[in-house]
Amino acid sequence: MLTVLVYATVQKVLFDKSAGKRPKAMGVMFKDENGNQHQAFLTNNRRSEVILSCGAIGTPQLLMLSGIGPKAELQRLNISMVLHNEFVGKGMADNPMNSVFVPMTRSVEQSLIQTVGITKMGVYIEASSGFGQSQDSIHCHHGLLSAEIGQLSTVPPKQRTRQAIEEFIKRKRDLPREAFKGGFILEKIAMPLSTGHLNLINTNIDNNPSVTFNYFGHPRDLRRCVNGIRMAAKVIQSDRFTNFTKCDKPTVERLLNMSVKANINFIPKHTNDTKSLEQFCKDTVITIWHYHGGCHVGKVVDPNHKVLGTRRLRIVDGSTFSESPGTNPQGTVLMMGRYMGVKILRRRLGKAAGV
């Protein structure tokens, strides 16, 4: 029988730290919807284990709150150390995305990404349109281009404040209405080489950790973005596209200028955004929330996704990914869970049969 507890939030993993043995996961401490604390323990079956699937941000955070992580990070917050591992929270990555505005003379149907163009240069080309379905839509959340639901990751942690969000919401009223009438050609970096890190802010699991993705920290990522923007502009300037949009063929500088004005993130813009494609990429980057890393295979978990240096603890989620292509990762994570489940089951059945 499987019991699923809804509205239950795990606070930390509980370990048996008997002298001379590797730390063994015993269960978890969690709180219910009323804030009451509980503990759930594994059975005596040696094959029972705790599996973490909290995602690229949640799993490194929970590991550190449970006492597994960089020694200095744990000591800073007076967390009792179970196991020192300097790689927990390291190698955090996200697929940076930039967009070029597509001018339209008429409103278009609302559409999110349906087709992905995979290029040889390491960028994906996609499209999104139709955020201007009503007069009020410019003041509302508008999907992947909405700063209120995720674009804080593009600025340094100290700038991610409630005041910044409120100021942005006010500024949004000055955005050109055309940006919500037409659409955007998006370019997204596949398998980014730039990486960052995750640090705890405090010991409260309900408070998000501080994450820095270091967008375009690697020069190759920046070069790929520039090539992607050039390709997007070329598509928009093509005869077939201008026949569809019913607009005059815009210059690249005009396209970039409109794109900067329509851009929705918290990064201050520069006067040379439309002159330097490199600066344009840095200033208009947004996230599409394909976070990965923080618990890499070979550094935090072994090839079977067991946490190194521990017993009865496994991680099955995107935090173990060293790279991500850039398309929706949900299918990858789902297949990963099914693969690991089948693999574990076969191993146990084989042992039970004496194979």
Side-chain angles (χ1 to χ4, degrees):
M1 183 181 69
L2 176 66
T3 301
V4 178
L5 301 180
V6 296
Y7 306 115
T9 304
V10 173
Q11 308 294 294
K12 66 178 181 179
V13 180
L14 303 173
F15 290 94
D16 176 3
K17 297 182 289 184
S18 301
K21 297 181 179 180
R22 288 183 299 161
K24 179 175 67 174
M26 299 187 303
V28 297
M29 177 183 293
F30 69 94
K31 67 177 180 180
D32 59 26
E33 67 271 26
N34 298 317
N36 299 318
Q37 297 280 351
H38 305 271
Q39 292 182 348
F41 293 97
L42 297 175
T43 67
N44 291 327
N45 188 328
R46 64 185 180 86
R47 297 192 181 111
S48 296
E49 59 186 16
V50 174
I51 299 178
L52 302 183
S53 296
C54 310
I57 294 178
T59 291
Q61 178 190 22
L62 185 57
L63 271 185
M64 286 191 272
L65 291 176
S66 303
I68 298 179
K71 183 178 180 179
E73 180 77 354
L74 302 180
Q75 290 179 337
R76 180 175 64 85
L77 293 174
N78 296 318
I79 298 174
S80 178
M81 188 173 71
V82 173
L83 180 70
H84 166 63
N85 187 321
E86 62 179 312
F87 298 110
V88 175
K90 301 299 191 297
M92 299 293 299
D94 185 25
N95 299 75
M97 185 171 72
N98 296 77
S99 60
V100 178
F101 176 63
V102 180
M104 297 284 290
T105 58
R106 64 188 188 280
S107 296
V108 294
E109 179 184 351
Q110 189 170 28
S111 173
L112 293 178
I113 292 91
Q114 297 182 20
T115 304
V116 179
I118 302 176
T119 72
K120 295 180 179 180
M121 65 183 73
V123 298
Y124 288 4
I125 304 297
E126 303 171 352
S128 182
S129 65
F131 295 112
Q133 296 298 301
S134 71
Q135 291 296 317
D136 295 327
S137 62
I138 194 170
H139 304 309
C140 302
H141 297 329
H142 34 273
L144 59 89
L145 297 180
S146 180
E148 300 95 313
I149 58 174
Q151 300 308 327
L152 283 172
S153 67
T154 59
V155 296
K158 291 183 179 180
Q159 297 178 25
R160 302 169 191 170
T161 63
R162 172 57 58 182
Q163 180 181 0
I165 295 177
E166 295 299 329
E167 290 178 354
F168 172 82
I169 294 174
K170 292 178 181 178
R171 292 199 308 271
K172 204 162 63 169
R173 294 189 178 93
D174 297 327
L175 291 173
R177 190 168 296 276
E178 293 81 7
F180 300 87
K181 186 176 182 180
F184 295 86
I185 297 294
L186 315 171
E187 69 82 26
K188 186 168 49 180
I189 303 300
M191 301 177 185
L193 300 176
S194 307
T195 60
H197 53 85
L198 178 149
N199 298 102
L200 297 177
I201 293 178
N202 53 40
T203 57
N204 187 347
I205 190 68
D206 294 326
N207 293 338
N208 291 330
S210 172
V211 187
T212 300
F213 291 110
N214 196 25
Y215 296 107
F216 302 124
H218 195 287
R220 185 182 171 192
D221 288 346
L222 188 58
R223 288 197 300 269
R224 287 191 289 174
C225 176
V226 169
N227 291 334
I229 294 298
R230 285 174 176 158
M231 175 173 285
K234 185 177 180 180
V235 169
I236 297 171
Q237 290 179 308
S238 67
D239 291 338
R240 290 183 181 273
F241 218 87
T242 52
N243 287 338
F244 170 72
T245 60
K246 304 301 180 183
C247 291
D248 296 333
K249 183 179 295 186
T251 65
V252 172
E253 184 172 345
R254 179 168 175 261
L255 279 175
L256 297 184
N257 186 53
M258 290 188 294
S259 301
V260 169
K261 289 181 179 179
N263 179 253
I264 299 179
N265 68 17
F266 289 81
I267 301 175
K269 305 302 184 283
H270 293 77
T271 56
N272 64 332
D273 277 339
T274 59
K275 300 293 185 181
S276 166
L277 289 180
E278 289 81 1
Q279 194 64 55
F280 177 87
C281 286
K282 292 178 181 179
D283 287 354
T284 63
V285 64
I286 59 176
T287 179
I288 198 166
W289 314 293
H290 292 172
Y291 312 138
H292 54 283
C295 295
H296 287 156
V297 175
K299 295 183 177 180
V300 178
V301 298
D302 68 13
N304 290 316
H305 290 254
K306 293 182 177 180
V307 177
L308 296 171
T310 71
R311 293 176 289 165
R312 304 176 79 176
L313 180 61
R314 198 185 302 259
I315 297 174
V316 182
D317 62 26
S319 69
T320 64
F321 295 173
S322 59
E323 59 184 30
S324 175
T327 50
N328 291 342
Q330 296 95 323
T332 306
V333 175
L334 176 61
M335 289 187 291
M336 175 188 183
R338 294 188 63 176
Y339 170 77
M340 291 304 300
V342 171
K343 188 175 182 180
I344 294 170
L345 181 60
R346 285 177 176 173
R347 184 182 297 111
R348 291 177 178 176
L349 291 175
K351 290 182 178 179
V355 178

